[in-house]
Amino acid sequence: MATPRSRVRDDESSSQRRTRPVATVAVPFPAVVARPIIAHVRPQIDCGRRPAKASLGDLLNVEADAFVEGHDLVCCELRFRHDDDVKWTSMPMRELGNDRWRAMMPIDRLGRYRFIVRASVDRFGTWRRDLRARINAGQDVAEEFLVGAQLIQDASRHAKANERRRLAEIAEMLRSSDAVASPRETTGDDASDAQHVVFSEWLGDAMSSLSGSSHHVSSETYFVWADPTKARFSTWYELFPRSAAPSPRRHGTFADVEARLDYVESMGFDVLYLPPIHPIGRSGRKGRDGAVTSGPDDPGSPWAIGSRDGGHTSIHPELGSLEDFRSLVRAAGARGIDVALDLAFQASPDHPWVSEHPGWFHQLPGGSIRYAENPPKRYEDIYPLNFEGLEWRALWHELLEVVRFWIAQGVTVFRVDNPHTKPFEFWEWLLASVRAERPEIIFLAEAFTRPRVMEHLAKIGFTQSYTYFSWRSSKWEIETYVRELTQTDMADYFRPNFWPNTPDILTSELQHGVRATFMARLVLAATLSASYGIYGPTFELQETAPRAEGSEEYLHSEKYEIRTWDVKDPSNLSGFISMVNAIRREHAALQFNDRLVLHPVDNDHLVAFSKTRAGVDHDDIVVVIVNVDYVYPQSGWVALDLQQLGIDPSLPYVMHDLLTDAHYVWNGSRNFVRLDPDGLPCHIFALEQPVEQWKKKP
Amino acid sequence: MATPRSRVRDDESSSQRRTRPVATVAVPFPAVVARPIIAHVRPQIDCGRRPAKASLGDLLNVEADAFVEGHDLVCCELRFRHDDDVKWTSMPMRELGNDRWRAMMPIDRLGRYRFIVRASVDRFGTWRRDLRARINAGQDVAEEFLVGAQLIQDASRHAKANERRRLAEIAEMLRSSDAVASPRETTGDDASDAQHVVFSEWLGDAMSSLSGSSHHVSSETYFVWADPTKARFSTWYELFPRSAAPSPRRHGTFADVEARLDYVESMGFDVLYLPPIHPIGRSGRKGRDGAVTSGPDDPGSPWAIGSRDGGHTSIHPELGSLEDFRSLVRAAGARGIDVALDLAFQASPDHPWVSEHPGWFHQLPGGSIRYAENPPKRYEDIYPLNFEGLEWRALWHELLEVVRFWIAQGVTVFRVDNPHTKPFEFWEWLLASVRAERPEIIFLAEAFTRPRVMEHLAKIGFTQSYTYFSWRSSKWEIETYVRELTQTDMADYFRPNFWPNTPDILTSELQHGVRATFMARLVLAATLSASYGIYGPTFELQETAPRAEGSEEYLHSEKYEIRTWDVKDPSNLSGFISMVNAIRREHAALQFNDRLVLHPVDNDHLVAFSKTRAGVDHDDIVVVIVNVDYVYPQSGWVALDLQQLGIDPSLPYVMHDLLTDAHYVWNGSRNFVRLDPDGLPCHIFALEQPVEQWKKKP
């Protein structure tokens, strides 16, 4: 039993409450009760502080959580615009389940896009869904029709005249007594006229277009930078121009490189990257195999940039003239090949900058300039630049001018040497400055360093990045790394470029490699990553000798001497490389990384993965299986994830080996494979369902 | 050969560049080149928009990536302050490897903390590291000493007089010619005096304290809300006061509940949660087992709040008076038990609000008020409130006053009924309003709904949350769910409260359960989660009968009728529960969720996991193994992850079963267990290394 006191106390407080002004509340009321919550929008880099990356022709997957309390339905739309657009474009997002929504944003111009996700409560849709449930349960819906009439009338205020008239008629109809006959079915012939109208598509569309103008909630604004297609899909070949001469020991020229374009084109490469082409310093010049002292005929490292012949905007005299270089760029361009230059922002002690701008370097107290070093190691042929010295603005500006100079010569792709040893702020500024003028320029970051540093360089604007692929040899290493690159948010900003070798990296695996090793590493690079490259002709000629045991340097490295290559040698892998690159061009699945799936094989030497691209009448599905044991044949059962591939597991399908043109009929998920390194160490399959099956698809 | 033209072109452009003003650069230079990057700070909820959760006594794990280009060393510190503090507190962060840094932030007051991570380049430390490498390599370091002298002199400007004098002396010493003798060792007796000073701890400390005042980079500011300890570690018991009478069919009172406190205390619970204690409406009252019509003696659902006897601040007359309630709160408090009330923000049609404030409800066009419903289901005994109606501000204020009223009666813990059916904005406002006055108040969200909605309620301020634990039965389900709760960012804001049963949830597993089922589900709840609760006495008396096949409702549910319970029944699990709760109190490891590790067992019916808490002389390690097959004995090999537990795998260790007091000596990772549901379906081990081993620890 309640005592009188209790009730009196309650009444007192209750009356006090009613007279107490609302202003006693310390925390202010929200301005409106704007109900949907939008969260976890992707792509989103560093909480939206940096743009995600996309490329021309992409359909960018934009997703968000959008939800509201209770059981009300939500509408969700993507709104986006390019910097050049005046108006926003809207497109509906589709619910994926679990309050997740998605839209595919078309990227059709270079430069910056912005997007927001917008959500609102779908009051009419909710009412209609509930009405259907009530009618189907045989409930009296007379009052519900009045509720609906009110919703329609409210919305009609925002409608154009014709539509407003029609909506008013419908609202009136719902208010009339005829409307309320309540058969158990909402659609059949016995449904009332009012029900036919209420559940009509016209009314649904009209109401949802009108509701857009009422309360909605918007996400933050996020940005996307659209690069050219080659930013996503590119095939790189690196060569030293000075070794391009056909005859032994002559210094190669741009004309020699031009003569080699047919060879590069025949292999299917579309970027030709040249190490620095500038005058090479004499002071501290390294000898062969990196010797501390050099002989008079040693050409020195191309990265020791600058001599009395000039610096970063000059050309090493023995390579030819600027006009020769332009001719090479033009000839390459005619073949669809971009010539990529190396941006190595450092100087030989003989660089003109050293005397003209000593303040651009690290000056020691005694007045001398600090060599490049990683104590106690010293690189006497190179002075690093001081990006934080008193004259940093002039230096940065000069470096921007260097980039502008080469862009003016037709260069659109740059490989950036060791960006991780220069300030992030510098790159962010430089890349933004270049892109403000020329959004199509591509920068590949050559940063082999700690993961967070490599990631950050990609975030601040590098188009592509070298990776750890070179050292990922075992199945576990390859799978773990590829998962990290493609299934974390790295996929939104870090575009991997896989290199089996570089002039600095002859891996232990390649040193001990056989022909199958080179074939398999090439196929892994070319199919795991939409962008990859090789340093040739060392790669296709399968150079394996290191400078010393335990070193990753090549013996007789082109970094320090001129080599001559016999690309006509019958052991050359160029034919195989041509095939692989042709497959890349023909199969869109290999030109993206976003739908890479790793498939289990019951053999730790066999790596299996697929890539998929949606097509007009069927998906392009490429399945790659590689034997990473380069000595022994390996066999096992591949368990394809048919659900992820969208394949009906009850029907057989054809695996078309694109390297051998063989066709295999596979059944279900598990199928047997055997790969012998004496033959081909890999399959590159196109998964082709029989035509009958495609017809069955809706 | 370079043509003259090429060189001329370069010279031209080069001279043009030098005369062109820097202002032609479109993208502005950064203000300073502030080098370290700080990223991925945790805890961080929705990009810092919401506070993370902590509780009194925590050492909150704050982490961040901090790194700089190149090879320079970085210093990283955590700075934090409570809202009541005037000054920030700083503490150094420790590098974990891979550019990740950590500090443990002590939480010793209720309310809001803020923190930032601050990083700077450690120029002196970098110089000293490089100097050591140079000296060890036998290089001439004369000029390096001059560089160091300059660093020391620059820093000395910020020093106090004494320190400044000493630093000036050191700089002078380094500049003197004596300093440059360069033995190969930096520490031995033959190191020079200058070297002794350079590598001295005093100088390192002085330089690092002075460098703090120079360039540093700060993260965004992040917030942490500190709750009382019970927010993290709590043990809940729910009972219906009206069923608390010892004699059959009499309506229980607060005095009866008070008499049952000894029982509740003996089992070791510290929160006693009562379903709504307010007057119950008559209109639409549900009968027994939720029947649509009720007889005159049916008491109705306590959630149908409000009658002529009052509403949310009144007490159901048959339970007693407000003074009786206060007495119960005091008596419970004396035992360390908090009485938790139910905030069910809805009304019976007889609630005073209905006549006084019809605008607080959903009014239909005909003037009537909409019942609670989930079409076509209807709940005729309940009117939902309209949180978005024209009078929403007055309604919200009234609801805040309800909470304030009960806080004034001594209530500090609330269980909130169905928060997911009210706007998020309302809860965010209400919880912030209450916490602004009383930061110690605890709110448990009873939202059994979609994952994103449950997560968002936790983000906007609910202290604890009901979970899906009730339905996670198999080993795979349990492990997957626990991983999600403890190993994603949910751990930073979502505090799970595990309930094996509630008045609404008699799971299929319990319906078919035996004694071992109840024991195992209790142990899983009590050890997987630092907060858990049971709905009693149904639980400890092992009620299994559902209202109907396929229903999760209890037969003869207390929601609709008064029950009488014989807690002295010999089958009562209260003794077992007492033991489990005593173990929870004695083992700090079980009072946190942050160091939960799942361990493999080669039997899918055996779940094994551990929790660890660092102690003064040894870690508290609890290992729990549960047989989730409640019919058959199950055995298998547990593979403890000894590295994660910090156990030397080469030494035996003692597993002390805290339920049976048995001691087992285990060796290495893999050990055999067998659990028979006829006896105990679980082990709760304390992992106790022999004393000799603890002595060996550093």
Side-chain angles (χ1 to χ4, degrees):
Chain A
M1 289 289 289
T3 63
R5 188 178 163 193
S6 140
R7 257 172 281 159
V8 167
R9 175 72 185 81
D10 184 31
D11 291 342
E12 276 174 7
S13 75
S14 169
S15 68
Q16 280 168 4
R17 282 197 307 278
R18 272 192 295 277
T19 54
R20 193 184 299 174
V22 169
T24 61
V25 178
V27 176
F29 286 113
V32 286
V33 185
R35 300 198 300 158
I37 301 295
I38 300 171
H40 298 130
V41 179
R42 77 160 294 278
Q44 174 177 171
I45 312 304
D46 285 352
C47 294
R49 246 174 258 128
R50 319 240 176 229
K53 290 193 173 81
S55 56
L56 282 187
D58 282 1
L59 283 173
L60 184 72
N61 177 11
V62 176
E63 292 186 10
D65 295 337
F67 53 89
V68 70
E69 80 274 4
H71 305 287
D72 286 0
L73 297 177
V74 167
C75 287
C76 201
E77 63 173 357
L78 170 67
R79 292 169 62 79
F80 63 93
R81 73 174 181 85
H82 188 276
D83 276 0
D84 293 343
D85 290 336
V86 178
K87 293 174 73 173
W88 292 80
T89 303
S90 292
M91 57 193 296
M93 297 182 79
R94 188 169 58 85
E95 191 171 3
L96 303 174
N98 213 4
D99 296 316
R100 192 80 180 152
W101 297 75
R102 174 188 290 167
M104 305 304 279
M105 175 173 155
I107 303 293
D108 54 15
R109 276 166 297 165
L110 292 174
R112 197 174 67 160
Y113 287 81
R114 66 191 65 201
F115 72 88
I116 61 171
V117 171
R118 212 160 80 158
S120 57
V121 174
D122 181 3
R123 290 184 195 278
F124 182 74
T126 302
W127 172 79
R128 204 154 73 153
R129 177 201 61 190
D130 290 351
L131 182 72
R132 196 184 295 270
R134 294 176 210 276
I135 291 172
N136 287 346
Q139 294 176 359
D140 176 5
V141 294
E143 204 150 17
E144 293 305 326
F145 272 20
L146 300 181
V147 171
Q150 190 63 46
L151 284 174
I152 292 166
Q153 187 178 312
D154 290 350
S156 72
R157 278 188 229 124
H158 307 287
K160 286 179 192 147
N162 271 352
E163 199 178 37
R164 194 186 312 145
R165 206 170 308 123
R166 177 77 184 116
L167 291 171
E169 284 167 21
I170 294 173
E172 200 47 51
M173 180 184 202
L174 291 179
R175 288 201 176 98
S176 77
S177 55
D178 292 353
V180 302
S182 298
R184 291 191 64 86
E185 291 303 322
T186 53
T187 45
D189 285 344
D190 52 348
S192 71
D193 284 352
Q195 286 176 30
H196 277 297
V197 171
V198 159
F199 293 110
S200 70
E201 203 177 323
W202 181 86
L203 184 60
D205 291 348
M207 289 297 286
S208 73
S209 72
L210 292 170
S211 72
S213 54
S214 68
H215 302 304
H216 56 247
V217 175
S218 293
S219 72
E220 309 274 296
T221 302
Y222 299 97
F223 294 91
V224 175
W225 180 266
D227 284 308
T229 306
K230 215 169 236 182
R232 163 174 54 73
F233 172 53
S234 57
T235 313
W236 292 53
Y237 188 76
E238 172 176 5
L239 64 74
F240 280 72
R242 68 189 183 190
S243 298
S247 55
R249 296 289 173 261
R250 174 165 77 69
H251 195 291
T253 64
F254 290 136
D256 294 323
V257 177
E258 201 168 322
R260 195 159 280 185
L261 283 176
D262 283 344
Y263 172 69
V264 174
E265 184 188 13
S266 75
M267 286 190 286
F269 292 100
D270 60 15
V271 179
L272 174 62
Y273 152 49
L274 311 179
I277 58 172
H278 316 301
I280 297 170
R282 273 256 46 129
S283 303
R285 178 177 286 189
K286 302 278 190 196
R288 297 182 180 215
D289 284 321
V292 176
T293 54
S294 59
D297 294 337
D298 287 338
S301 162
W303 283 272
I305 296 172
S307 74
R308 74 185 68 162
D309 292 318
H312 282 73
T313 49
S314 302
I315 283 177
H316 186 60
E318 293 186 79
L319 288 172
S321 66
L322 186 64
E323 186 42 53
D324 294 341
F325 176 73
R326 283 179 174 148
S327 167
L328 170 62
V329 170
R330 278 193 303 270
R335 290 166 163 84
I337 297 173
D338 288 294
V339 171
L341 284 194
D342 196 321
L343 292 179
F345 285 158
Q346 57 197 18
S348 126
D350 307 327
H351 196 292
W353 289 341
V354 176
S355 52
E356 292 171 20
H357 305 283
W360 291 1
F361 299 88
H362 295 274
Q363 290 172 288
L364 285 166
S368 62
I369 291 175
R370 201 188 269 291
Y371 296 117
E373 51 181 357
N374 188 5
K377 278 192 268 178
R378 287 176 176 172
Y379 307 92
E380 289 92 347
D381 56 342
I382 289 169
Y383 286 164
L385 295 163
N386 184 356
F387 289 84
E388 296 175 273
L390 289 176
E391 299 173 35
W392 66 271
R393 286 182 186 80
L395 169 64
W396 291 23
H397 188 255
E398 172 75 7
L399 297 174
L400 173 59
E401 289 299 317
V402 168
V403 180
R404 284 174 169 160
F405 175 83
W406 292 109
I407 291 175
Q409 314 314 316
V411 176
T412 56
V413 182
F414 294 93
R415 176 266 198 193
V416 179
D417 190 71
N418 285 326
H420 60 290
T421 60
K422 290 95 188 170
F424 297 114
E425 285 84 357
F426 166 70
W427 293 119
E428 195 157 22
W429 170 84
L430 182 88
L431 302 184
S433 299
V434 172
R435 292 228 171 84
E437 300 162 7
R438 297 289 296 270
E440 75 276 26
I441 306 298
I442 288 174
F443 295 92
L444 166 63
E446 188 249 2
F448 292 106
T449 182
R450 289 122 56 211
R452 297 300 91 74
V453 174
M454 290 171 67
E455 290 161 18
H456 197 69
L457 289 166
K459 285 180 183 175
I460 62 176
F462 279 93
T463 323
Q464 299 184 347
S465 306
Y466 281 81
T467 69
Y468 303 136
F469 166 75
S470 316
W471 301 278
R472 297 295 178 267
S473 309
S474 72
K475 175 177 177 171
W476 182 84
E477 288 171 333
I478 292 166
E479 292 190 343
T480 305
Y481 190 49
V482 164
R483 241 181 235 119
E484 181 185 335
L485 292 175
T486 61
Q487 292 170 23
T488 69
D489 75 342
M490 278 183 83
D492 295 329
Y493 63 85
F494 186 98
R495 288 203 195 89
N497 193 327
F498 278 10
W499 290 70
N501 74 328
T502 78
D504 299 316
I505 307 169
L506 173 65
T507 61
S508 165
E509 190 175 30
L510 291 184
Q511 291 175 27
H512 301 98
V514 294
R515 186 176 174 87
T517 316
F518 285 81
M519 294 167 84
R521 293 299 294 174
L522 182 104
V523 166
L524 286 169
T527 56
L528 284 169
S529 176
S531 287
Y532 89 103
I534 58 170
Y535 155 50
T538 57
F539 187 86
E540 66 266 29
L541 294 177
Q542 304 149 63
E543 286 262 304
T544 57
R547 180 201 295 175
E549 184 62 36
S551 164
E552 291 196 332
E553 294 284 342
Y554 277 92
L555 183 65
H556 305 310
S557 169
E558 291 180 289
K559 292 195 292 186
Y560 308 107
E561 63 189 278
I562 296 166
R563 296 287 299 273
T564 311
W565 302 103
D566 179 10
V567 298
K568 301 215 176 351
D569 189 286
S571 72
N572 193 327
L573 285 175
S574 58
F576 181 74
I577 294 170
S578 301
M579 284 180 71
V580 172
N581 286 337
I583 293 168
R584 282 166 51 86
R585 281 195 305 278
E586 281 155 29
H587 287 272
L590 297 175
Q591 299 167 12
F592 295 81
N593 295 332
D594 59 339
R595 291 183 64 190
L596 185 138
V597 177
L598 299 163
H599 300 278
V601 194
D602 58 358
N603 179 330
D604 279 349
H605 295 290
L606 295 179
V607 179
F609 55 92
S610 65
K611 283 185 162 182
T612 303
R613 200 71 206 160
V616 178
D617 37 62
H618 69 276
D619 290 353
D620 179 36
I621 305 175
V622 175
V623 178
V624 180
I625 304 171
V626 180
N627 175 4
V628 297
D629 175 351
Y630 307 115
V631 178
Y632 297 105
Q634 295 287 346
S635 60
W637 291 83
V638 180
L640 290 186
D641 185 338
L642 295 180
Q643 198 186 346
Q644 284 228 46
L645 296 177
I647 298 297
D648 181 342
S650 69
L651 296 174
Y653 49 94
V654 174
M655 296 291 270
H656 175 196
D657 191 322
L658 300 168
L659 292 169
T660 63
D661 205 30
H663 290 70
Y664 306 88
V665 175
W666 282 21
N667 279 284
S669 167
R670 281 169 57 84
N671 290 275
F672 184 78
V673 289
R674 181 175 189 280
L675 286 164
D676 185 344
D678 276 352
L680 275 174
C682 51
H683 289 298
I684 305 179
F685 289 120
L687 194 163
E688 295 169 359
Q689 291 193 317
V691 174
E692 297 76 43
Q693 290 171 231
W694 290 118
K695 286 189 185 150
K696 285 186 194 162
K697 287 215 162 181
Chain B
M1 286 290 292
T3 64
R5 189 178 162 194
S6 140
R7 258 174 282 163
V8 167
R9 175 72 184 81
D10 182 34
D11 290 343
E12 273 175 11
S13 75
S14 166
S15 68
Q16 278 167 7
R17 282 198 307 280
R18 272 195 294 277
T19 53
R20 193 184 300 174
V22 169
T24 60
V25 178
V27 177
F29 286 114
V32 286
V33 185
R35 299 196 303 158
I37 300 296
I38 300 171
H40 298 130
V41 179
R42 78 160 294 276
Q44 174 177 172
I45 313 303
D46 286 350
C47 295
R49 247 174 257 126
R50 320 244 176 227
K53 291 193 173 79
S55 57
L56 283 186
D58 283 1
L59 283 174
L60 184 71
N61 176 11
V62 177
E63 292 186 10
D65 295 338
F67 53 90
V68 69
E69 80 275 4
H71 305 287
D72 286 0
L73 297 177
V74 166
C75 287
C76 201
E77 64 173 356
L78 170 67
R79 292 170 61 79
F80 64 92
R81 75 174 181 84
H82 188 276
D83 276 0
D84 293 343
D85 291 336
V86 178
K87 292 173 72 174
W88 293 79
T89 303
S90 292
M91 57 195 296
M93 299 182 78
R94 188 169 58 83
E95 191 171 2
L96 303 174
N98 213 4
D99 295 317
R100 192 78 179 154
W101 297 75
R102 174 189 288 166
M104 305 303 279
M105 173 174 156
I107 304 293
D108 55 15
R109 277 164 297 166
L110 292 174
R112 196 174 68 160
Y113 286 82
R114 68 191 66 202
F115 71 88
I116 61 170
V117 171
R118 211 161 81 158
S120 57
V121 174
D122 180 3
R123 291 183 194 277
F124 183 73
T126 302
W127 173 79
R128 206 155 71 155
R129 178 202 61 190
D130 290 350
L131 182 71
R132 196 183 297 270
R134 294 176 210 274
I135 291 173
N136 288 346
Q139 293 175 0
D140 176 4
V141 293
E143 204 148 18
E144 292 305 324
F145 272 19
L146 299 181
V147 171
Q150 191 62 47
L151 285 173
I152 292 167
Q153 187 178 313
D154 289 350
S156 73
R157 279 188 228 123
H158 308 286
K160 286 180 192 147
N162 271 351
E163 200 177 38
R164 194 184 315 146
R165 207 169 309 123
R166 176 79 184 114
L167 290 171
E169 284 166 22
I170 294 172
E172 200 45 50
M173 181 183 199
L174 292 179
R175 287 196 178 101
S176 75
S177 55
D178 292 354
V180 301
S182 298
R184 290 191 65 85
E185 291 303 321
T186 52
T187 44
D189 286 343
D190 52 350
S192 71
D193 283 352
Q195 285 175 33
H196 276 298
V197 172
V198 160
F199 294 110
S200 70
E201 202 177 324
W202 182 85
L203 184 59
D205 291 348
M207 289 298 285
S208 72
S209 72
L210 292 171
S211 73
S213 53
S214 69
H215 302 304
H216 56 249
V217 175
S218 293
S219 71
E220 308 275 295
T221 302
Y222 299 96
F223 294 91
V224 175
W225 180 266
D227 284 308
T229 306
K230 215 170 237 181
R232 164 174 51 76
F233 172 54
S234 58
T235 315
W236 292 54
Y237 188 77
E238 172 176 5
L239 64 74
F240 280 72
R242 67 189 184 191
S243 296
S247 55
R249 298 291 176 255
R250 175 167 76 68
H251 196 291
T253 64
F254 289 137
D256 294 324
V257 177
E258 202 169 322
R260 194 158 279 183
L261 283 175
D262 283 345
Y263 172 71
V264 175
E265 184 189 11
S266 75
M267 286 189 286
F269 293 100
D270 59 15
V271 179
L272 175 61
Y273 152 49
L274 310 180
I277 58 172
H278 316 301
I280 296 171
R282 272 258 46 131
S283 303
R285 178 177 285 189
K286 302 278 189 195
R288 295 180 180 217
D289 283 322
V292 176
T293 56
S294 60
D297 295 337
D298 287 339
S301 161
W303 282 272
I305 295 171
S307 75
R308 74 186 68 160
D309 293 317
H312 282 73
T313 50
S314 300
I315 283 175
H316 186 59
E318 293 187 79
L319 288 173
S321 68
L322 187 65
E323 186 42 53
D324 295 341
F325 176 73
R326 284 180 175 147
S327 168
L328 170 63
V329 170
R330 278 193 302 270
R335 290 167 163 85
I337 298 173
D338 288 294
V339 171
L341 284 195
D342 196 322
L343 293 180
F345 286 156
Q346 57 195 20
S348 128
D350 307 328
H351 197 293
W353 289 342
V354 175
S355 53
E356 294 171 18
H357 303 284
W360 292 1
F361 299 88
H362 295 273
Q363 290 173 287
L364 286 166
S368 63
I369 289 174
R370 200 189 269 290
Y371 296 118
E373 52 182 357
N374 187 7
K377 279 193 264 177
R378 289 175 174 172
Y379 308 92
E380 290 91 346
D381 56 342
I382 289 169
Y383 286 163
L385 294 162
N386 185 355
F387 288 84
E388 296 176 90
L390 290 175
E391 300 173 34
W392 65 272
R393 287 182 185 79
L395 168 65
W396 290 24
H397 188 254
E398 172 74 6
L399 297 175
L400 173 58
E401 288 299 316
V402 168
V403 181
R404 284 174 169 160
F405 175 83
W406 292 110
I407 290 173
Q409 314 314 316
V411 175
T412 56
V413 182
F414 294 93
R415 176 267 198 194
V416 179
D417 191 70
N418 285 328
H420 59 291
T421 60
K422 290 95 187 170
F424 296 116
E425 284 84 358
F426 166 71
W427 293 119
E428 194 157 24
W429 170 85
L430 183 89
L431 302 183
S433 300
V434 171
R435 292 232 171 83
E437 299 162 7
R438 298 289 297 270
E440 77 275 25
I441 306 298
I442 288 173
F443 295 92
L444 166 64
E446 188 249 2
F448 291 107
T449 182
R450 286 126 54 213
R452 298 298 92 75
V453 174
M454 291 172 66
E455 290 161 18
H456 197 69
L457 289 165
K459 285 180 184 175
I460 62 176
F462 279 93
T463 324
Q464 298 184 349
S465 305
Y466 281 81
T467 69
Y468 303 137
F469 165 75
S470 317
W471 301 278
R472 297 295 178 265
S473 309
S474 70
K475 175 177 176 170
W476 183 83
E477 289 171 333
I478 292 166
E479 292 190 342
T480 305
Y481 190 48
V482 164
R483 239 180 238 121
E484 181 185 335
L485 292 174
T486 63
Q487 291 168 24
T488 68
D489 75 342
M490 280 183 81
D492 294 329
Y493 64 86
F494 187 98
R495 286 203 196 90
N497 193 327
F498 277 11
W499 290 71
N501 74 329
T502 78
D504 300 316
I505 306 169
L506 174 65
T507 61
S508 165
E509 189 174 32
L510 292 183
Q511 291 174 28
H512 301 98
V514 294
R515 186 176 175 86
T517 317
F518 285 81
M519 294 168 81
R521 292 299 294 174
L522 182 105
V523 167
L524 286 170
T527 56
L528 284 170
S529 176
S531 287
Y532 89 104
I534 58 170
Y535 156 49
T538 56
F539 188 86
E540 66 266 28
L541 293 177
Q542 303 148 62
E543 286 263 303
T544 58
R547 181 203 291 176
E549 183 63 35
S551 164
E552 291 196 333
E553 293 285 342
Y554 277 92
L555 182 64
H556 306 308
S557 168
E558 291 182 288
K559 291 195 291 187
Y560 309 108
E561 64 188 278
I562 296 166
R563 297 285 299 272
T564 311
W565 303 103
D566 179 9
V567 299
K568 300 216 176 347
D569 189 284
S571 72
N572 192 327
L573 284 175
S574 57
F576 180 74
I577 295 170
S578 302
M579 284 180 70
V580 172
N581 286 337
I583 293 169
R584 280 166 52 86
R585 283 195 304 279
E586 282 156 28
H587 287 272
L590 297 175
Q591 299 167 13
F592 294 81
N593 295 334
D594 59 339
R595 289 182 64 191
L596 185 139
V597 177
L598 299 163
H599 301 276
V601 195
D602 58 358
N603 179 331
D604 279 350
H605 296 289
L606 296 179
V607 179
F609 55 92
S610 64
K611 283 186 163 182
T612 303
R613 200 73 206 159
V616 177
D617 37 64
H618 69 277
D619 290 353
D620 180 34
I621 305 175
V622 176
V623 178
V624 180
I625 304 170
V626 180
N627 175 4
V628 297
D629 174 351
Y630 307 115
V631 179
Y632 298 105
Q634 296 287 347
S635 59
W637 292 83
V638 180
L640 290 185
D641 185 337
L642 295 180
Q643 197 185 350
Q644 283 229 46
L645 296 176
I647 299 297
D648 182 340
S650 69
L651 297 173
Y653 49 94
V654 174
M655 296 292 271
H656 175 197
D657 191 322
L658 300 168
L659 292 169
T660 63
D661 206 30
H663 290 69
Y664 306 88
V665 175
W666 281 20
N667 279 284
S669 167
R670 280 169 59 83
N671 290 275
F672 184 79
V673 289
R674 182 176 188 279
L675 287 164
D676 185 345
D678 276 352
L680 275 174
C682 51
H683 290 298
I684 306 179
F685 289 120
L687 194 162
E688 295 168 358
Q689 290 193 321
V691 175
E692 296 75 44
Q693 289 172 232
W694 290 118
K695 286 189 185 152
K696 286 188 193 161
K697 286 213 163 185

